[in-house]
Amino acid sequence: SSPLYREHQRSLPSFYIKKYEVTVAEYLEFWSSLSDPQHRSQMMSRIHFSEDDEAVDAWDADGKVLADRVLPGYPVVGITCEAASAYCKWKSRLTGETLRLPTEFEWEKAARGVDGRTYPWGYGFSASENLTLTLDNVKGKETYPLWAPPGTFNRDISVHNVHDMGGNVREYALSLNGGYQLRGGSAATPASFLPSTFISSDTDAFPSDVGFRYVLEVFAH
């Protein structure tokens, strides 16, 4: 379990989790549905492409994405946890189902399965294997310096068939104290972020390597 807790077992209600991280194209459907300019501004993806650069909007007022560096098939990043939650609420209204960000325990369960494995793919990891997109994956970053389309690194997959819970982009998860955590690693983080118990933090209001996926609550009948 997480280093915040002693080793223990935890039972969770049934849930479904999105197989892949939410993409720019999926998020833009939500963003384009907003009519209030202030709300659009609050929900905008803003990205630092380097430590020295100012954050820039990921698309224009018409929803046209930045060429090359931000593509519709990439995971959406540079948004707040509140924006990710707003997307889930919008998607819930659209589908008539209860969708939300995963809790810390749901995220970890989806990544680790029931056997307590260290990484989504198992117990071992070597940087030379290039299993997932991290800062240490030199070959992977030659092709995907910032992010990759979800599912590109097809060995980064959990026993529950959930992709990219090791690398690509970090992800929002809800914590028990009512806040949120950042789980997993990204193309901007070293391999030390890869264990499924690892929790990181970010002081940037619009972290440029953090995206999200959602869960569907399953109610017993």
Side-chain angles (χ1 to χ4, degrees):
S1 65
S2 163
L4 293 178
Y5 306 96
R6 289 185 176 184
E7 186 173 343
H8 65 286
Q9 291 184 337
R10 182 178 293 268
S11 297
L12 298 176
S14 298
F15 64 94
Y16 295 107
I17 192 166
K18 196 173 189 301
K19 185 176 182 179
Y20 301 110
E21 295 148 341
V22 173
T23 64
V24 170
E26 290 171 319
Y27 186 83
L28 268 172
E29 291 182 38
F30 156 67
W31 187 86
S32 298
S33 73
L34 304 175
S35 56
D36 180 12
Q38 184 177 2
H39 200 196
R40 279 191 162 206
S41 178
Q42 292 170 343
M43 302 293 118
M44 171 60 75
S45 164
R46 295 187 175 89
I47 301 174
H48 293 278
F49 288 102
S50 75
E51 291 183 4
D52 300 325
D53 290 342
E54 293 289 326
V56 297
D57 291 351
W59 48 79
D60 64 19
D62 297 320
K64 183 178 179 181
V65 298
L66 294 169
D68 298 329
R69 293 194 291 184
V70 178
L71 296 175
Y74 284 163
V76 65
V77 297
I79 62 171
T80 63
C81 184
E82 290 75 19
S85 293
Y87 172 91
C88 294
K89 291 178 181 177
W90 168 81
K91 190 78 173 176
S92 294
R93 292 193 297 271
L94 212 62
T95 63
E97 299 171 316
T98 302
L99 307 174
R100 55 169 172 75
L101 293 176
T103 67
E104 54 181 302
F105 298 116
E106 288 169 338
W107 193 97
E108 192 170 320
K109 168 70 182 302
R112 302 181 75 195
V114 297
D115 58 3
R117 56 185 56 200
T118 308
Y119 306 100
W121 49 82
Y123 293 92
F125 172 75
S126 170
S128 63
E129 292 179 296
N130 298 326
L131 294 176
T132 187
L133 185 58
T134 66
L135 189 62
D136 301 318
N137 186 346
V138 176
K139 184 177 179 181
K141 281 182 68 69
E142 287 177 358
T143 306
Y144 301 105
L146 299 172
W147 325 275
T152 299
F153 291 79
N154 58 16
R155 294 177 70 187
D156 183 358
I157 182 171
S158 81
V159 69
H160 294 302
N161 201 34
V162 187
H163 290 250
D164 300 308
M165 301 198 85
N168 202 23
V169 301
R170 292 182 292 163
E171 300 177 17
Y172 287 119
L174 302 176
S175 59
L176 289 184
N177 64 9
Y180 67 87
Q181 300 175 351
L182 300 181
R183 305 300 294 257
S186 76
T189 64
S192 59
F193 282 55
L194 286 176
S196 299
T197 57
F198 190 82
I199 300 169
S200 54
S201 60
D202 204 305
T203 56
D204 193 337
F206 301 91
S208 299
D209 70 327
V210 176
F212 72 103
R213 70 183 80 222
Y214 52 79
V215 300
L216 166 64
E217 292 184 354
V218 179
F219 297 100
H221 295 287

